[in-house]
Amino acid sequence: MDGSWKISVSPVCSKDGKQYAFVVFQDGERIAEGKIPECIMTSAKDFTEEEVAEMENYMRRELTELKKAASSVNVWNAFLMD
């Protein structure tokens, strides 16, 4: 990643007994979303194939840290923030 990306992580979600979280990449006006632990992009409009591959590689490399971040997200604090 070249440092221009802003990255945020959702809280852990659960469906059919499986846990997952979303990772959002923002570069100016462009926003892309990936899903962990699968490390796949779910949306990436206006991004090149190379950029999408870079985001997926980033999620694979940083999966442990992204999982930790997702598990520490406090949803109530997020709603209370301005």
Side-chain angles (χ1 to χ4, degrees):
M1 309 294 291
D2 66 7
S4 65
W5 301 89
K6 289 184 181 180
I7 300 170
S8 57
V9 182
S10 77
V12 175
C13 304
S14 183
K15 183 176 181 181
D16 299 327
K18 295 182 181 182
Q19 292 187 324
Y20 59 94
F22 294 99
V23 180
V24 176
F25 298 84
Q26 186 170 2
D27 178 15
E29 296 292 317
R30 301 184 306 164
I31 297 176
E33 181 181 84
K35 186 176 179 184
I36 58 172
E38 295 90 345
C39 300
I40 57 169
M41 298 308 294
T42 57
S43 66
K45 186 177 179 192
D46 297 329
F47 288 91
T48 66
E49 288 183 26
E50 183 179 295
E51 289 171 317
V52 169
E54 185 178 353
M55 290 178 232
E56 289 177 338
N57 288 332
Y58 175 83
M59 288 189 292
R60 280 191 285 278
R61 277 193 322 271
E62 301 297 328
L63 183 58
T64 300
E65 292 302 315
L66 292 169
K67 285 180 176 180
K68 286 180 191 176
S71 67
S72 68
V73 172
N74 184 321
V75 175
W76 292 112
N77 282 349
F79 280 119
L80 297 174
M81 303 300 277
D82 288 335

